[in-house]
Amino acid sequence: SGGSQTVALGLSSGINAEYGGCGKGAPVLDIAVKTGASVVGVDLAENHIEFAKVFLAKYRVRNPEIQAEFHVGSYYDIPAAVKSLAPFTHVIMQTSIFYAHHRIDDVLSQVSSVLAPGSGLLVTTDFLRNVPLSEVIDFATLNSMSTVLNKDEMEVALKRNGLEYVDGEVLDSHCIKCNIAKRNKVDELSLQGPSKEFFKSREEYVRNGKISFQLVVARKQ
């Protein structure tokens, strides 16, 4: 949530942050309004960014001082318009990075290139936990993940790209509760998108200790 991101990274006015994989912009706008930070949202889906810009215009009616903007782009190749705003004091990637474990160096090198020395990266992601990859192939396929890193592998990847692991938190109980709630909502409202089987699978892999959902905080060296 925007609140947990604010606490983890110490976001406040005067801060310049980039949010990779921002979706339709809600977390960007929440952070910008609650903290006074300047936040740039980036997402690969053009329709998400179109929605985000509409939401931003609505937010500005009540919050004319809000500092936020949105750009279409990939975290594998951060757009030039976003790079021109660097260096950032913070980069946030909530869940979206787990789709990129197979290209983790491509992502982290881009993140490192736009962070100021000593500044922070906040990521939430799935990790492989105490089992070989072969035991979670169904999970990886269901989540469009070519591979799943464990936490140690992520720490090594961070270091390779000039980033240092600082802190983290296991969010497994939160993940289980969220997936139960989402599964029930899909069933009750007949929503389109991920099926209730998708959410049930995520819940079971985390509950069985094969996958762990965690918060990672790192710092640019």
Side-chain angles (χ1 to χ4, degrees):
S1 69
S4 63
Q5 293 156 356
T6 299
V7 171
L9 283 175
L11 294 171
S12 62
S13 61
I15 293 299
N16 181 32
E18 188 232 332
Y19 198 119
C22 68
K24 296 179 181 178
V28 169
L29 298 173
D30 286 343
I31 292 170
V33 169
K34 291 176 181 177
T35 69
S38 173
V39 190
V40 180
V42 181
D43 198 274
L44 187 60
E46 292 186 20
N47 63 317
H48 285 176
I49 295 301
E50 289 173 3
F51 274 115
K53 289 179 177 178
V54 171
F55 292 151
L56 173 57
K58 293 180 178 179
Y59 267 67
R60 278 214 165 101
V61 174
R62 291 188 177 183
N63 303 278
E65 303 301 319
I66 188 173
Q67 299 182 74
E69 59 184 88
F70 295 97
H71 297 270
V72 176
S74 168
Y75 38 53
Y76 296 127
D77 185 15
I78 296 173
V82 176
K83 287 185 175 180
S84 70
L85 302 171
F88 293 101
T89 56
H90 301 76
V91 170
I92 304 166
M93 299 183 72
Q94 186 178 22
T95 70
S96 60
I97 199 171
F98 69 54
Y99 296 116
H101 280 203
H102 65 300
R103 292 181 59 184
I104 196 64
D105 286 310
D106 293 334
V107 176
L108 295 179
S109 64
Q110 286 286 295
V111 168
S112 186
S113 73
V114 297
L115 275 172
S119 53
L121 166 67
L122 182 145
V123 168
T124 52
T125 188
D126 290 323
F127 284 127
L128 189 64
R129 188 174 189 178
N130 302 322
V131 295
L133 182 62
S134 59
E135 289 195 26
V136 298
I137 288 298
D138 290 344
F139 171 88
T141 301
L142 192 64
N143 286 273
S144 302
M145 301 168 74
S146 300
T147 192
V148 188
L149 300 178
N150 61 42
K151 181 172 170 288
D152 289 342
E153 289 171 327
M154 179 63 78
E155 288 191 36
V156 171
L158 288 165
K159 190 172 183 179
R160 273 198 307 268
N161 290 281
L163 299 159
E164 178 187 12
Y165 179 88
V166 175
D167 199 3
E169 182 180 355
V170 176
L171 302 175
D172 290 347
S173 60
H174 171 74
C175 181
I176 290 169
K177 290 177 183 177
C178 284
N179 280 281
I180 291 173
K182 289 176 182 177
R183 187 181 75 212
N184 292 338
K185 191 172 183 180
V186 167
D187 202 25
E188 292 169 5
L189 302 179
S190 301
L191 298 177
Q192 294 183 344
S195 66
K196 63 181 181 179
E197 288 75 21
F198 171 86
F199 295 116
K200 183 178 181 181
S201 173
R202 286 188 58 80
E203 172 203 339
E204 290 178 347
Y205 272 97
V206 173
R207 191 185 297 278
N208 292 338
K210 295 182 177 182
I211 292 291
S212 182
F213 183 65
Q214 298 188 24
L215 168 73
V216 171
V217 179
R219 181 183 295 116
K220 173 73 175 286
Q221 295 176 318

